[in-house]
């Protein structure tokens, strides 16, 4: 663990990235895909910040063995979800066929219920069967979308980084995305364990985003002239790998404010005496 008076620095340096290996838990599989997808979307900022901070423990891309393991696990999830959908479709067909028979008077009589009541009861069964199928199909979309988070990453690795992947692996990864409602209450990824996983990853991404923003110049000339041209450089100094002691005794704001004021005073003095 790295102690730092800056929470963003601590969030990045203490982030524990764990690769997915064969036979890991389902939660680890889902977490890793969330992580890979988020890291890929923010890869440029992450790379820049990691280089500035000298952090070498974070990898934006999975290796090809991990990709293979993730794809195999994802295909297993999808196959199970497809089997459930098939069962639900069959059940719905049976319920609808029974409803048609009742309406057409083809069913055996002897029921204590009237024809209207029998139709209503069977309609209710068919409605439940349809709802069950809709849920199963939604879950299938979610699992395809989850594995689909890997697709742009693998394509980039193959097309840009020229990583040699197993033949045909890209064809096994669905070209789909997770429906937004999957994260809402009742959705397959709304459970607390998945919510916490995404929050943990988001905390890292938000920390990277903060460090990237304070360590780079801005396009607004008035902001730059008001001291940012000094401040962002002091922020870069603060987050560099070799300034570990500084981060233990001072916060970013304490250091950057103090040094920026000195820089501005020095600039004013130079302008005044014509240097």
């Amino acid at each position: 663990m790295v102690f730092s008076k800056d929470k963003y620095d601590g969030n990045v340096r203490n982030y524990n990235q764990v690769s997915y290996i064969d036979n890991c838990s389902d939660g680890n599989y889902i977490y890793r895909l969330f992580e890979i997808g988020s890291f890929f979307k923010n890869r440029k900022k992450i790379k820049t910040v990691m280089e500035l901070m000298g952090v070498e423990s974070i990898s934006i891309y999975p290796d090809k063995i991990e990709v293979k393991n993730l794809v195999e696990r994802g295909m297993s999830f999808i196959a199970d979800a497809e089997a459930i959908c098939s069962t639900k479709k069959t059940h719905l067909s049976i319920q609808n066929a029974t409803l048609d028979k009742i309406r057409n008077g083809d069913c055996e009589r002897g029921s204590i219920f009237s024809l209207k009541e029998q139709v209503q009861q069977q309609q209710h069964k068919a409605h439940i069967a349809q709802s069950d199928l809709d849920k199963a199909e939604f879950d299938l979309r979610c699992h395809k979308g989850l594995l689909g988070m890997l697709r742009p990453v693998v394509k980039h690795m193959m097309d840009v980084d020229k990583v040699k992947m197993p033949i045909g692996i890209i064809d096994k990864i669905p070209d789909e995305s997770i429906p937004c409602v999957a994260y809402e209450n009742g959705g397959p990824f709304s459970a607390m364990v998945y919510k916490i996983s995404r929050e943990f990853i988001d905390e890292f991404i938000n920390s990277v985003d903060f460090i990237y923003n304070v360590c780079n110049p801005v396009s607004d000339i008035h902001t730059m002239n008001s001291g940012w041209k000094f401040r962002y450089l002091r922020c870069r100094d603060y987050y560099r790998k070799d300034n570990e002691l500084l981060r233990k005794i001072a916060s970013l704001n304490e250091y950057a404010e103090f040094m920026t004021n000195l820089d501005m005073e020095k600039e004013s003095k130079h302008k005044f005496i014509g240097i």
Side-chain angles (χ1 to χ4, degrees):
M1 290 288 290
V2 175
F3 171 76
S4 175
K5 289 195 71 174
D6 182 77
K7 70 174 184 178
Y8 303 108
D9 179 76
N11 288 342
V12 171
R13 295 186 191 279
N14 292 319
Y15 188 84
N16 184 25
Q17 189 175 36
V18 180
S19 297
Y20 178 84
I21 59 176
D22 193 22
N23 295 323
C24 275
S25 68
D26 294 347
N28 180 246
Y29 162 80
I30 294 173
Y31 178 89
R32 183 63 175 128
L33 286 175
F34 284 159
E35 184 180 62
I36 290 172
S38 296
F39 279 23
F40 183 71
K41 288 180 181 178
N42 297 277
R43 61 190 180 279
K44 292 182 180 180
K45 286 186 177 182
I46 292 176
K47 181 179 179 181
T48 299
V49 170
M50 295 303 101
E51 290 177 350
L52 170 65
M53 299 176 68
V55 175
E56 300 177 352
S57 60
I58 301 298
S59 176
I60 297 173
Y61 302 98
D63 61 36
K64 60 183 180 182
I65 295 177
E66 185 179 17
V67 169
K68 178 177 176 292
N69 290 333
L70 287 166
V71 171
E72 288 178 353
R73 187 69 189 96
M75 290 178 65
S76 176
F77 265 122
I78 291 170
D80 290 344
E82 287 175 337
I84 292 173
C85 282
S86 179
T87 299
K88 299 298 183 183
K89 284 180 182 178
T90 299
H91 182 63
L92 176 60
S93 296
I94 292 172
Q95 297 303 323
N96 284 333
T98 302
L99 178 60
D100 289 340
K101 285 184 177 181
I102 293 175
R103 283 172 172 165
N104 296 330
D106 294 337
C107 288
E108 295 182 7
R109 299 308 302 270
S111 172
I112 62 174
F113 299 105
S114 66
L115 179 60
K116 181 179 179 180
E117 289 173 330
Q118 290 182 61
V119 169
Q120 289 176 338
Q121 288 180 342
Q122 191 57 38
Q123 284 177 329
H124 180 65
K125 292 180 180 179
H127 176 74
I128 292 176
Q130 181 65 63
S131 296
D132 289 344
L133 175 59
D134 291 343
K135 182 181 182 304
E137 290 179 337
F138 179 71
D139 288 345
L140 174 59
R141 284 180 58 203
C142 290
H143 283 299
K144 285 184 175 181
L146 181 63
L147 184 57
M149 295 178 75
L150 196 60
R151 187 178 179 88
V153 183
V154 173
K155 282 185 64 66
H156 180 92
M157 293 172 68
M158 294 173 64
D159 298 341
V160 179
D161 298 334
K162 305 303 179 183
V163 177
K164 292 184 179 181
M165 292 286 180
I167 297 175
I169 196 165
I170 196 68
D171 298 325
K172 298 177 181 179
I173 306 175
D175 189 11
E176 296 189 33
S177 58
I178 300 175
C180 292
V181 291
Y183 302 112
E184 297 177 0
N185 290 337
F189 302 134
S190 65
M192 185 58 66
V193 62
Y194 303 137
K195 183 178 179 181
I196 293 175
S197 295
R198 292 177 63 228
E199 288 177 350
F200 189 57
I201 296 168
D202 287 345
E203 184 178 45
F204 173 83
I205 297 297
N206 291 338
S207 296
V208 167
D209 194 57
F210 175 84
I211 295 172
Y212 180 89
N213 289 334
V214 299
C215 291
N216 281 281
V218 294
S219 58
D220 184 74
I221 190 170
H222 297 292
T223 301
M224 290 294 287
N225 287 336
S226 65
W228 192 263
K229 61 185 176 182
F230 299 120
R231 184 181 176 91
Y232 89 84
L233 292 173
R234 293 303 182 179
C235 290
R236 291 179 68 87
D237 288 339
Y238 181 85
Y239 286 112
R240 292 187 195 283
K241 181 179 180 179
D242 55 359
N243 271 334
E244 181 179 357
L245 179 60
L246 171 62
R247 291 187 293 272
K248 288 182 178 180
I249 62 177
S251 68
L252 171 67
N253 194 57
E254 289 171 341
Y255 173 75
E257 284 293 316
F258 179 78
M259 296 303 295
T260 299
N261 287 335
L262 288 182
D263 291 333
M264 293 179 71
E265 288 176 8
K266 183 177 180 180
E267 181 186 52
S268 296
K269 182 177 180 181
H270 286 180
K271 286 181 178 179
F272 179 74
I273 63 177
I275 297 178

